[in-house]
Amino acid sequence: MSKPVIAEKSPIKVELEKDKVYLWCSCGASKNQPFCDASHKGTELKPFKFSVQETQDKYLCRCKHTGNPPYCDGTHKTLK
């Protein structure tokens, strides 16, 4: 797999905790969307590691085609 699968054509609102390290699923196969569960093993895709500076709600991408990973940028609206 070199291209991600679309997990959902909508973002998901999550509360992200300050200074916690997250792994966002970039392959779309994780059963723990939007976070990585290592389903990408054996593919060319890798999870996206990130953290936030303050605890806050954010909308994370589940279509896996965002131009601003891990955040939703509306790209899901253009996918078929």
Coordinates of all heavy atoms in Angstrom, one line a residue:
M1 N 0.9 -1.2 0.0 CA 0.0 0.0 0.0 C 0.9 1.2 0.0 O 1.7 1.4 0.9 CB -0.9 0.0 1.2 CG -1.7 1.2 1.4 SD -2.7 1.4 2.9 CE -2.8 -0.1 3.8
S2 N 0.8 2.1 -1.0 CA 1.5 3.3 -1.1 C 0.6 4.5 -1.0 O 1.1 5.6 -0.8 CB 2.4 3.4 -2.3 OG 1.5 3.4 -3.5
K3 N -0.7 4.3 -1.1 CA -1.7 5.4 -1.0 C -2.6 5.0 0.2 O -3.0 3.9 0.3 CB -2.5 5.5 -2.3 CG -1.7 6.0 -3.4 CD -2.6 6.3 -4.6 CE -1.7 6.9 -5.8 NZ -2.6 7.3 -6.9
P4 N -3.0 6.0 0.9 CA -3.9 5.8 2.1 C -5.3 5.4 1.6 O -5.7 5.8 0.6 CB -3.9 7.1 2.8 CG -3.5 8.1 1.8 CD -2.6 7.5 0.8
V5 N -6.0 4.6 2.4 CA -7.4 4.4 2.2 C -8.2 5.4 3.0 O -7.7 5.9 4.0 CB -7.8 2.9 2.6 CG1 -7.1 1.9 1.8 CG2 -7.5 2.7 4.1
I6 N -9.3 5.7 2.5 CA -10.2 6.7 3.2 C -10.9 6.0 4.4 O -11.7 5.1 4.1 CB -11.2 7.3 2.2 CG1 -10.4 8.1 1.1 CG2 -12.1 8.3 3.0 CD1 -11.3 8.5 0.0
A7 N -10.6 6.4 5.6 CA -11.3 5.8 6.7 C -12.7 6.4 6.9 O -13.6 5.6 7.1 CB -10.5 6.1 8.0
E8 N -12.8 7.7 6.7 CA -14.1 8.4 6.7 C -14.0 9.6 5.9 O -12.9 10.2 5.8 CB -14.6 8.7 8.1 CG -14.9 7.6 9.0 CD -16.2 6.9 8.7 OE1 -17.1 7.6 8.1 OE2 -16.4 5.7 9.0
K9 N -15.1 10.1 5.3 CA -15.1 11.4 4.5 C -15.6 12.5 5.4 O -16.4 13.3 5.0 CB -15.9 11.3 3.3 CG -15.3 10.4 2.2 CD -16.1 10.4 0.9 CE -15.4 9.6 -0.1 NZ -16.2 9.5 -1.3
S10 N -15.1 12.5 6.6 CA -15.4 13.6 7.6 C -14.3 13.6 8.7 O -13.7 12.6 8.9 CB -16.8 13.3 8.3 OG -16.7 12.2 9.0
P11 N -14.1 14.8 9.3 CA -13.1 14.8 10.3 C -13.7 14.3 11.6 O -14.9 14.1 11.7 CB -12.8 16.3 10.4 CG -14.1 17.0 10.0 CD -14.6 16.1 8.9
I12 N -12.9 14.2 12.6 CA -13.3 13.8 14.0 C -12.8 14.8 15.0 O -11.6 15.2 14.9 CB -12.9 12.4 14.3 CG1 -13.6 12.0 15.6 CG2 -11.4 12.2 14.4 CD1 -13.5 10.5 15.9
K13 N -13.7 15.3 15.9 CA -13.3 16.2 16.9 C -12.7 15.4 18.1 O -13.3 14.5 18.6 CB -14.5 17.0 17.4 CG -14.2 18.1 18.4 CD -15.4 18.8 18.8 CE -15.1 19.9 19.8 NZ -16.4 20.6 20.2
V14 N -11.5 15.8 18.5 CA -10.8 15.1 19.6 C -10.2 16.2 20.5 O -9.8 17.3 20.1 CB -9.7 14.2 19.1 CG1 -10.3 13.0 18.4 CG2 -8.6 14.9 18.3
E15 N -10.2 15.8 21.8 CA -9.5 16.7 22.8 C -8.0 16.2 22.8 O -7.8 15.0 23.1 CB -10.1 16.6 24.2 CG -9.4 17.5 25.1 CD -10.0 17.5 26.5 OE1 -10.4 16.4 27.0 OE2 -10.0 18.5 27.2
L16 N -7.1 17.1 22.5 CA -5.7 16.8 22.6 C -5.1 17.4 23.8 O -5.4 18.6 24.1 CB -5.0 17.4 21.3 CG -5.5 16.8 20.0 CD1 -4.9 17.6 18.8 CD2 -5.3 15.3 19.9
E17 N -4.3 16.7 24.5 CA -3.7 17.1 25.8 C -2.3 17.8 25.5 O -1.5 17.3 24.7 CB -3.6 16.0 26.7 CG -4.9 15.3 27.2 CD -4.7 14.1 28.0 OE1 -3.7 14.0 28.8 OE2 -5.5 13.2 28.0
K18 N -2.1 18.8 26.3 CA -0.8 19.6 26.2 C 0.4 18.6 26.4 O 0.3 17.8 27.3 CB -0.8 20.6 27.3 CG 0.5 21.4 27.3 CD 0.5 22.4 28.5 CE 1.8 23.1 28.6 NZ 1.9 24.0 29.6
D19 N 1.3 18.7 25.5 CA 2.6 18.0 25.6 C 2.5 16.5 25.5 O 3.5 15.8 25.5 CB 3.4 18.4 26.9 CG 3.7 19.8 27.0 OD1 4.0 20.4 25.9 OD2 3.8 20.4 28.1
K20 N 1.4 15.9 25.2 CA 1.2 14.5 25.0 C 1.6 14.2 23.5 O 1.3 15.0 22.6 CB -0.2 14.0 25.2 CG -0.4 12.5 25.1 CD -1.8 12.1 25.5 CE -2.0 10.6 25.2 NZ -3.3 10.2 25.6
V21 N 2.3 13.1 23.3 CA 2.7 12.8 21.9 C 1.7 11.9 21.3 O 1.3 10.9 21.9 CB 4.1 12.1 21.9 CG1 4.5 11.7 20.5 CG2 5.2 13.1 22.4
Y22 N 1.2 12.2 20.1 CA 0.2 11.4 19.4 C 0.8 10.9 18.1 O 1.7 11.5 17.5 CB -1.0 12.3 19.1 CG -1.8 12.8 20.3 CD1 -1.5 14.1 20.8 CD2 -2.8 12.0 20.9 CE1 -2.2 14.5 21.9 CE2 -3.4 12.5 22.0 CZ -3.1 13.7 22.5 OH -3.8 14.2 23.6
L23 N 0.2 9.8 17.7 CA 0.6 9.2 16.4 C -0.7 9.1 15.5 O -1.6 8.3 15.8 CB 1.2 7.8 16.5 CG 2.6 7.8 17.2 CD1 3.0 6.3 17.4 CD2 3.6 8.5 16.4
W24 N -0.8 10.0 14.6 CA -2.0 10.1 13.7 C -1.8 9.0 12.6 O -0.7 8.9 11.9 CB -2.1 11.5 13.1 CG -3.1 11.7 12.0 CD1 -4.5 11.8 12.3 CD2 -2.9 11.8 10.6 NE1 -5.1 12.0 11.1 CE2 -4.2 12.0 10.1 CE3 -1.8 11.8 9.8 CZ2 -4.4 12.2 8.7 CZ3 -2.0 12.0 8.5 CH2 -3.3 12.2 7.9
C25 N -2.8 8.3 12.3 CA -2.8 7.2 11.3 C -2.8 7.9 9.9 O -3.7 8.7 9.6 CB -4.1 6.4 11.4 SG -4.4 5.3 10.0
S26 N -1.8 7.6 9.1 CA -1.8 8.2 7.8 C -2.2 7.2 6.7 O -2.4 7.5 5.5 CB -0.4 8.7 7.5 OG 0.6 7.6 7.4
C27 N -2.3 5.9 7.1 CA -2.7 4.9 6.1 C -4.2 4.7 5.9 O -4.6 4.2 4.9 CB -2.0 3.6 6.5 SG -2.7 2.7 7.9
G28 N -4.9 5.0 7.0 CA -6.4 4.8 6.9 C -6.9 3.5 7.4 O -8.1 3.2 7.5
A29 N -6.0 2.5 7.7 CA -6.4 1.2 8.1 C -6.5 0.9 9.6 O -7.1 -0.1 10.0 CB -5.3 0.2 7.5
S30 N -6.1 1.9 10.4 CA -6.2 1.7 11.8 C -7.6 1.5 12.3 O -8.6 2.2 11.8 CB -5.6 3.0 12.5 OG -5.8 2.9 13.9
K31 N -7.8 0.7 13.2 CA -9.2 0.5 13.9 C -9.4 1.5 15.0 O -10.4 1.5 15.6 CB -9.3 -1.0 14.4 CG -9.1 -2.0 13.4 CD -10.3 -2.3 12.5 CE -10.1 -3.5 11.7 NZ -9.9 -3.2 10.3
N32 N -8.3 2.3 15.3 CA -8.4 3.3 16.3 C -8.3 4.7 15.8 O -7.6 5.5 16.3 CB -7.2 3.0 17.3 CG -7.2 3.8 18.5 OD1 -8.3 4.1 19.1 ND2 -6.0 4.2 19.0
Q33 N -9.1 4.9 14.7 CA -9.1 6.2 14.0 C -9.4 7.3 15.0 O -10.3 7.2 15.9 CB -10.1 6.2 12.9 CG -9.7 5.4 11.7 CD -8.5 5.9 11.0 OE1 -8.2 7.1 11.0 NE2 -7.7 4.9 10.5
P34 N -8.7 8.5 14.9 CA -7.7 8.8 13.8 C -6.3 8.5 14.2 O -5.4 8.9 13.5 CB -7.9 10.3 13.7 CG -8.2 10.7 15.2 CD -9.0 9.6 15.7
F35 N -6.1 7.7 15.2 CA -4.8 7.4 15.7 C -4.3 6.0 15.2 O -5.0 5.2 14.9 CB -4.8 7.5 17.3 CG -5.2 8.8 17.8 CD1 -6.4 8.9 18.4 CD2 -4.4 9.9 17.6 CE1 -6.8 10.2 18.8 CE2 -4.8 11.2 18.0 CZ -6.0 11.3 18.7
C36 N -3.0 5.9 15.2 CA -2.3 4.7 14.7 C -2.4 3.5 15.6 O -2.3 3.7 16.8 CB -0.8 5.0 14.5 SG 0.2 3.7 13.9
D37 N -2.7 2.3 15.0 CA -2.6 1.1 15.8 C -1.6 0.1 15.1 O -1.7 -1.1 15.4 CB -4.0 0.5 15.9 CG -4.6 -0.1 14.6 OD1 -3.9 0.0 13.5 OD2 -5.7 -0.6 14.5
A38 N -0.7 0.6 14.3 CA 0.3 -0.1 13.6 C -0.2 -0.9 12.5 O 0.5 -1.8 12.0 CB 1.1 -1.0 14.6
S39 N -1.4 -0.7 12.0 CA -1.9 -1.4 10.8 C -1.1 -1.1 9.5 O -1.2 -1.8 8.5 CB -3.4 -1.0 10.5 OG -4.2 -1.5 11.5
H40 N -0.3 0.0 9.5 CA 0.5 0.4 8.4 C 1.7 -0.6 8.2 O 2.4 -0.5 7.1 CB 1.1 1.8 8.6 CG 2.0 1.9 9.7 ND1 1.6 2.1 11.0 CD2 3.4 1.8 9.8 CE1 2.6 2.1 11.8 NE2 3.7 2.0 11.1
K41 N 2.0 -1.4 9.1 CA 3.2 -2.3 9.0 C 3.2 -3.1 7.7 O 2.1 -3.6 7.3 CB 3.2 -3.3 10.2 CG 3.4 -2.7 11.5 CD 4.8 -2.2 11.7 CE 4.9 -1.7 13.2 NZ 6.1 -1.0 13.5
G42 N 4.3 -3.1 7.0 CA 4.4 -3.7 5.7 C 4.0 -2.8 4.6 O 4.0 -3.3 3.4
T43 N 3.7 -1.6 4.9 CA 3.4 -0.6 3.8 C 4.5 0.5 3.8 O 5.4 0.5 4.7 CB 2.1 0.1 4.0 OG1 2.2 1.1 5.1 CG2 1.0 -0.9 4.4
E44 N 4.4 1.4 2.8 CA 5.3 2.5 2.7 C 4.9 3.6 3.6 O 5.6 4.6 3.8 CB 5.4 3.0 1.3 CG 5.9 1.9 0.3 CD 5.7 2.3 -1.1 OE1 5.5 3.4 -1.4 OE2 5.8 1.4 -2.0
L45 N 3.7 3.6 4.2 CA 3.2 4.7 5.0 C 3.6 4.6 6.4 O 3.7 3.5 7.0 CB 1.6 4.7 4.9 CG 1.1 4.8 3.4 CD1 -0.4 4.6 3.4 CD2 1.5 6.2 2.9
K46 N 3.8 5.7 7.0 CA 4.2 5.8 8.4 C 3.2 6.8 9.2 O 2.7 7.7 8.6 CB 5.6 6.4 8.5 CG 6.6 5.6 7.8 CD 6.9 4.2 8.4 CE 7.9 3.5 7.6 NZ 7.6 2.1 7.4
P47 N 3.1 6.6 10.5 CA 2.2 7.5 11.2 C 2.9 8.9 11.4 O 4.1 9.0 11.2 CB 2.1 6.8 12.6 CG 3.3 5.9 12.7 CD 3.6 5.5 11.3
F48 N 2.0 9.9 11.6 CA 2.5 11.2 11.7 C 2.5 11.6 13.2 O 1.5 11.5 13.9 CB 1.5 12.2 11.0 CG 1.9 13.6 11.0 CD1 2.8 14.1 10.1 CD2 1.4 14.5 12.0 CE1 3.2 15.4 10.1 CE2 1.8 15.8 12.0 CZ 2.7 16.3 11.1
K49 N 3.7 11.8 13.8 CA 3.9 12.1 15.2 C 3.7 13.6 15.4 O 4.3 14.5 14.7 CB 5.3 11.7 15.6 CG 5.6 11.9 17.0 CD 7.1 11.3 17.3 CE 7.5 11.4 18.7 NZ 8.8 10.9 18.9
F50 N 2.9 14.0 16.4 CA 2.7 15.4 16.7 C 2.2 15.6 18.2 O 1.9 14.6 18.9 CB 1.6 16.0 15.8 CG 0.2 15.5 16.1 CD1 -0.7 16.4 16.8 CD2 -0.3 14.3 15.8 CE1 -2.0 16.0 17.1 CE2 -1.6 13.9 16.1 CZ -2.4 14.7 16.7
S51 N 2.3 16.8 18.6 CA 1.8 17.2 20.0 C 1.3 18.6 19.9 O 1.5 19.3 18.9 CB 2.9 17.1 21.0 OG 4.0 18.0 20.7
V52 N 0.6 19.1 20.9 CA 0.1 20.4 20.9 C 0.6 21.2 22.2 O 1.0 20.5 23.2 CB -1.5 20.5 20.9 CG1 -2.0 20.0 19.6 CG2 -2.0 19.7 22.1
Q53 N 0.7 22.5 22.1 CA 1.3 23.3 23.2 C 0.3 23.6 24.3 O 0.7 24.0 25.4 CB 1.7 24.6 22.6 CG 2.7 24.5 21.4 CD 4.1 24.8 21.8 OE1 4.4 25.5 22.7 NE2 5.0 24.1 21.1
E54 N -1.0 23.4 24.0 CA -2.0 23.5 25.1 C -3.2 22.6 24.9 O -3.4 22.2 23.7 CB -2.5 25.0 25.1 CG -3.2 25.4 23.9 CD -3.6 26.9 23.9 OE1 -2.7 27.7 24.0 OE2 -4.8 27.2 23.8
T55 N -3.8 22.1 25.9 CA -4.9 21.2 25.8 C -6.1 21.9 25.0 O -6.4 23.1 25.3 CB -5.4 20.8 27.2 OG1 -4.4 20.1 27.8 CG2 -6.7 19.9 27.1
Q56 N -6.6 21.3 24.0 CA -7.6 21.9 23.1 C -8.3 20.9 22.3 O -7.8 19.8 22.1 CB -6.9 23.0 22.2 CG -5.8 22.4 21.4 CD -5.0 23.5 20.7 OE1 -5.5 24.1 19.8 NE2 -3.8 23.6 21.1
D57 N -9.5 21.2 21.8 CA -10.2 20.4 20.8 C -9.7 20.8 19.4 O -9.5 21.9 19.1 CB -11.7 20.7 20.9 CG -12.3 20.2 22.2 OD1 -11.7 19.3 22.8 OD2 -13.4 20.6 22.5
K58 N -9.5 19.7 18.6 CA -9.1 19.9 17.2 C -9.8 18.9 16.4 O -10.3 17.9 16.8 CB -7.6 19.7 17.1 CG -6.7 20.8 17.6 CD -6.8 22.0 16.8 CE -5.7 23.0 17.2 NZ -5.7 24.2 16.3
Y59 N -10.0 19.2 15.1 CA -10.6 18.3 14.1 C -9.5 17.6 13.3 O -8.8 18.3 12.6 CB -11.6 19.1 13.2 CG -12.8 19.5 13.9 CD1 -12.9 20.7 14.6 CD2 -13.9 18.6 13.9 CE1 -14.1 21.0 15.2 CE2 -15.1 18.9 14.6 CZ -15.2 20.1 15.2 OH -16.3 20.5 15.9
L60 N -9.4 16.3 13.5 CA -8.4 15.6 12.8 C -8.9 14.9 11.6 O -10.1 14.5 11.6 CB -7.8 14.5 13.8 CG -7.1 15.1 15.0 CD1 -6.4 13.9 15.8 CD2 -6.1 16.2 14.7
C61 N -8.1 14.8 10.6 CA -8.5 14.2 9.3 C -8.6 12.7 9.4 O -7.8 12.0 10.0 CB -7.4 14.6 8.3 SG -7.5 13.8 6.7
R62 N -9.7 12.2 8.7 CA -9.9 10.8 8.6 C -9.9 10.3 7.2 O -9.9 9.1 6.9 CB -11.2 10.3 9.3 CG -11.1 10.5 10.8 CD -12.3 9.9 11.5 NE -13.6 10.6 11.2 CZ -14.8 10.2 11.5 NH1 -14.9 9.1 12.3 NH2 -15.8 10.9 11.2
C63 N -9.9 11.3 6.2 CA -9.8 10.9 4.8 C -8.4 10.6 4.4 O -8.2 9.9 3.4 CB -10.5 12.0 3.9 SG -9.4 13.4 3.5
K64 N -7.4 11.0 5.2 CA -6.0 10.8 5.0 C -5.4 11.5 3.8 O -4.3 11.2 3.3 CB -5.7 9.3 4.9 CG -6.3 8.5 6.1 CD -5.9 9.1 7.4 CE -6.7 8.4 8.5 NZ -6.4 9.0 9.8
H65 N -6.1 12.5 3.2 CA -5.6 13.2 2.1 C -5.4 14.7 2.4 O -5.2 15.5 1.5 CB -6.6 13.0 0.9 CG -6.6 11.7 0.3 ND1 -7.2 10.6 0.9 CD2 -5.9 11.2 -0.7 CE1 -7.0 9.5 0.2 NE2 -6.2 9.8 -0.8
T66 N -5.5 15.1 3.6 CA -5.3 16.5 4.0 C -3.9 17.0 3.6 O -2.9 16.3 3.5 CB -5.4 16.7 5.5 OG1 -5.3 18.1 5.8 CG2 -4.4 15.9 6.3
G67 N -3.8 18.3 3.3 CA -2.6 18.9 3.0 C -1.9 19.5 4.2 O -0.8 20.0 4.2
N68 N -2.6 19.3 5.4 CA -2.1 19.8 6.6 C -2.2 18.8 7.8 O -2.9 19.0 8.7 CB -2.9 21.1 7.0 CG -2.3 21.8 8.2 OD1 -1.2 21.7 8.5 ND2 -3.2 22.4 9.0
P69 N -1.5 17.6 7.6 CA -1.7 16.6 8.6 C -1.2 17.0 10.0 O -0.3 17.8 10.1 CB -0.8 15.5 8.0 CG 0.1 16.1 7.0 CD -0.5 17.3 6.6
P70 N -1.9 16.6 11.0 CA -3.0 15.6 11.0 C -4.4 16.3 11.0 O -5.4 15.6 11.1 CB -2.8 15.0 12.4 CG -2.4 16.1 13.2 CD -1.5 16.9 12.3
Y71 N -4.4 17.6 10.7 CA -5.6 18.4 10.8 C -6.4 18.4 9.5 O -5.9 18.3 8.4 CB -5.3 19.8 11.2 CG -4.5 19.9 12.4 CD1 -3.1 20.2 12.4 CD2 -5.0 19.5 13.7 CE1 -2.4 20.2 13.5 CE2 -4.2 19.6 14.8 CZ -2.9 19.9 14.8 OH -2.1 19.9 15.9
C72 N -7.8 18.4 9.7 CA -8.7 18.4 8.5 C -8.5 19.8 7.8 O -8.5 20.8 8.5 CB -10.1 18.2 9.0 SG -11.3 18.4 7.7
D73 N -8.4 19.8 6.5 CA -8.4 21.0 5.7 C -9.5 21.0 4.7 O -9.5 21.9 3.8 CB -7.0 21.2 5.0 CG -6.8 20.2 3.9 OD1 -7.6 19.3 3.7 OD2 -5.7 20.2 3.3
G74 N -10.5 20.1 4.8 CA -11.7 20.1 4.0 C -11.5 19.3 2.7 O -12.4 19.2 1.9
T75 N -10.3 18.7 2.5 CA -10.1 17.9 1.3 C -11.1 16.8 1.1 O -11.4 16.5 0.0 CB -8.6 17.3 1.3 OG1 -7.7 18.4 1.4 CG2 -8.4 16.4 0.1
H76 N -11.6 16.3 2.2 CA -12.6 15.2 2.1 C -13.8 15.5 1.2 O -14.5 14.7 0.7 CB -13.1 14.7 3.5 CG -13.8 15.8 4.3 ND1 -13.1 16.7 5.0 CD2 -15.1 16.1 4.4 CE1 -14.0 17.5 5.6 NE2 -15.2 17.1 5.2
K77 N -14.1 16.8 1.1 CA -15.3 17.3 0.4 C -15.1 17.1 -1.1 O -16.0 17.2 -1.9 CB -15.6 18.8 0.7 CG -16.0 19.0 2.1 CD -16.1 20.5 2.4 CE -16.4 20.7 3.9 NZ -16.4 22.2 4.2
T78 N -13.8 16.9 -1.6 CA -13.5 16.8 -3.0 C -13.3 15.4 -3.4 O -13.0 15.1 -4.6 CB -12.2 17.7 -3.3 OG1 -11.1 17.1 -2.7 CG2 -12.4 19.1 -2.9
L79 N -13.3 14.5 -2.5 CA -13.0 13.1 -2.8 C -14.3 12.3 -3.3 O -15.4 12.6 -2.8 CB -12.4 12.3 -1.6 CG -11.1 12.9 -1.0 CD1 -10.8 12.2 0.3 CD2 -10.0 12.8 -2.0
K80 N -14.1 11.4 -4.2 CA -15.2 10.6 -4.7 C -15.4 9.4 -3.9 O -14.6 8.8 -3.3 CB -15.0 10.3 -6.2 CG -15.0 11.5 -7.0 CD -14.8 11.1 -8.4 CE -14.8 12.4 -9.3 NZ -14.8 12.2 -10.6

